[in-house]
Amino acid sequence: MIIRRSGHLIQRDLACFPSVVLLGPRQVGKTTLAREIAREDADSLYLDLEDPRVAGRLSNPGRYLDLHRHRLVILDEIQRMPDLFRVLRGRIDARRREGRKSGHFLILGSASGALLRQSAESLAGRVAYHELPGLDALEVGRDPERSWLRGGFPDSVTAPSDDVSLRWRTGFIRTYLERDLPQSGLRAPAETLRRLWTMLSHSQGAPFNAARLAGSLGVSVPSVKRYADTLVDLMLVRRLQPYHANVGKRLIKSPKLFVRDSGIVHALLHIRSIDDLLGHPVAGASWEGHVVENLIGAAPLGTDAFFYRTRAGAEINLLLLLPGQELWAIEVKRSSAPRVPRGFRIATTDVSAARSFIVYPGEETYPLGDGITATPLPALMRRLVDTR
């Protein structure tokens, strides 16, 4: 059993809020985590809304939930029954009137955009949100290259071999293309979506250019934007926005897109082993995406993430604006002996970064001058976790 850091945060919020929404893509471990929470609360009730038998029990959801009003009810895959949100609001308010203030519902869902809108409308003031990312470099442990190659999906990470892991990820991609994306309302040929996903993997972390992608795919620019929005909503792609500091310089204003799981990137590009990866042209961009995703996942709740780049070439791969408004500037390098790029020095001055780091695949943390620190990824993640 791999211990997830999110577990104690969810339990903390269940003690303070009537409901908690846990978001994440399929197979990321939401159900496993929820069942662990349920095991610690013997009186909880777990309901899988994809199970037809459960759906039958909820034909009259208000009456059924009233029968279990003294229990923590875990609702898995709630996007299958979005009308439940309106029912939950009434049940929460009724329980509050009876004197119970917290721990009513733990709600699990795979589609973030629609769920956030529905829950915000129905459960305003009654809900806390958590996003469950894949297993990160701290949770996986001592094999950072395996974490990078295989990504963060638990079944991929824990597979007995790289070959089995790759076959699992290939099946995961096929399931999303043939079932989950159409169920999300995205009406497009599976092959078109696979090509888009693959193109985003090839250009990992590049500024989003809808016109170029549309031309390559033979579809309209609005279609590409709609496809990308859906991948972002399903937490398969991250849209990293530019940081607009008032520095009087010409800035790159298009967002960057990252395929969020490095293992999915490698499966789409048919990269089978760490040796294949280290020799592949995408290695540097893949490492950057892996670092970005891990650091954002380790950052405290309320952190905003950006990148910064001027047309003159000053650049910061990742800017983290922490809840206290402290700005951390992070450059990502694949070299074992990283040097500080001139553009990074200029950029950190532009934005008045409080702390500046270069993340590299080594084991030692050491100063590089001008307040810039070289650090391994796990060490910087631990610093972020400690700020929570």
Side-chain angles (χ1 to χ4, degrees):
M1 182 66 186
I2 298 174
I3 303 301
R4 306 301 301 266
R5 282 195 309 279
S6 298
H8 81 276
L9 299 174
I10 293 167
Q11 289 176 316
R12 178 198 67 189
D13 280 351
L14 282 170
C16 300
F17 291 86
S19 59
V20 173
V21 173
L22 180 59
L23 300 167
R26 280 185 170 278
Q27 303 297 319
V28 80
K30 299 187 301 298
T31 298
T32 301
L33 181 56
R35 287 188 179 278
E36 283 299 307
I37 292 170
R39 271 194 282 271
E40 295 183 16
D41 182 350
D43 196 38
S44 61
L45 174 65
Y46 173 82
L47 299 173
D48 181 359
L49 301 185
E50 286 196 318
D51 187 333
R53 294 169 298 178
V54 171
R57 279 184 258 165
L58 289 170
S59 58
N60 188 331
R63 181 174 298 175
Y64 182 79
L65 294 174
D66 283 344
L67 294 174
H68 302 282
R69 62 182 177 274
H70 300 299
R71 307 173 74 180
L72 169 65
V73 179
I74 300 171
L75 299 165
D76 199 353
E77 299 293 351
I78 198 170
Q79 69 271 8
R80 301 298 180 206
M81 299 182 69
D83 290 342
L84 269 181
F85 280 111
R86 290 195 295 270
V87 177
L88 296 182
R89 174 174 178 164
R91 267 58 214 168
I92 288 171
D93 290 347
R95 293 182 183 193
R96 280 176 158 178
R97 288 191 293 271
E98 294 174 357
R100 183 176 173 189
K101 303 298 184 183
S102 61
H104 304 180
F105 299 102
L106 176 58
I107 302 164
L108 282 57
S110 300
S112 67
L115 274 182
L116 285 172
R117 288 189 293 272
Q118 291 162 347
S119 60
E121 291 169 2
S122 301
L123 301 180
R126 302 166 178 85
V127 63
Y129 295 96
H130 283 277
E131 180 181 325
L132 186 66
L135 294 167
D136 63 33
L138 291 182
E139 292 168 330
V140 170
R142 294 188 174 184
D143 194 347
E145 288 194 337
R146 184 177 71 170
S147 172
W148 176 32
L149 174 68
R150 298 187 180 187
F153 287 97
D155 286 340
S156 175
V157 172
T158 59
S161 68
D162 290 343
D163 182 62
V164 174
S165 170
L166 179 60
R167 283 191 279 128
W168 183 90
R169 283 175 275 135
T170 300
F172 173 90
I173 291 166
R174 180 173 180 176
T175 299
Y176 256 96
L177 291 171
E178 295 180 357
R179 187 187 73 170
D180 294 294
L181 288 172
Q183 285 180 351
S184 73
L186 189 58
R187 304 301 178 201
E191 184 56 34
T192 299
L193 297 175
R194 175 183 285 275
R195 288 175 59 204
L196 172 62
W197 212 351
T198 303
M199 291 168 69
L200 293 175
S201 297
H202 274 294
S203 58
Q204 181 79 323
F208 181 50
N209 187 329
R212 180 181 62 81
L213 292 169
S216 298
L217 292 170
V219 300
S220 67
V221 169
S223 293
V224 166
K225 291 181 177 179
R226 186 172 69 256
Y227 301 162
D229 285 345
T230 302
L231 292 173
V232 170
D233 273 354
L234 292 174
M235 301 183 176
L236 299 172
V237 168
R238 181 178 295 281
R239 183 185 286 119
L240 194 64
Q241 297 291 349
Y243 183 75
H244 295 304
N246 186 20
V247 296
K249 298 189 177 184
R250 297 178 64 203
L251 304 176
I252 301 295
K253 296 183 179 179
S254 297
K256 287 184 175 183
L257 292 191
F258 290 91
V259 176
R260 293 181 61 163
D261 185 81
S262 60
I264 298 301
V265 171
H266 304 150
L268 287 163
L269 301 181
H270 308 293
I271 296 171
R272 308 183 66 88
S273 68
I274 194 66
D275 288 338
D276 291 345
L277 175 56
L278 292 174
H280 197 282
V282 82
S286 169
W287 171 248
E288 179 183 338
H290 177 66
V291 170
V292 165
E293 198 61 32
N294 272 263
L295 292 178
I296 293 175
L301 189 66
T303 297
D304 292 319
F306 308 92
F307 75 95
Y308 176 83
R309 185 177 179 185
T310 69
R311 296 194 180 276
E315 182 174 9
I316 298 169
N317 295 143
L318 178 64
L319 272 169
L320 295 177
L321 183 61
L322 302 185
Q325 299 302 295
E326 187 174 70
L327 196 61
W328 288 21
I330 298 152
E331 179 78 1
V332 182
K333 292 295 182 186
R334 192 51 213 161
S335 168
S336 59
R339 297 178 181 273
V340 181
R342 180 173 177 271
F344 182 65
R345 292 185 191 273
I346 293 170
T348 56
T349 301
D350 287 348
V351 303
S352 302
R355 299 174 187 269
S356 302
F357 303 92
I358 291 185
V359 175
Y360 78 113
E363 297 182 357
E364 183 182 359
T365 298
Y366 59 92
L368 291 168
D370 296 331
I372 300 169
T373 302
T375 178
L377 173 60
L380 188 53
M381 290 176 68
R382 281 190 285 268
R383 288 187 70 162
L384 285 166
V385 170
D386 288 344
T387 66
R388 292 185 174 189

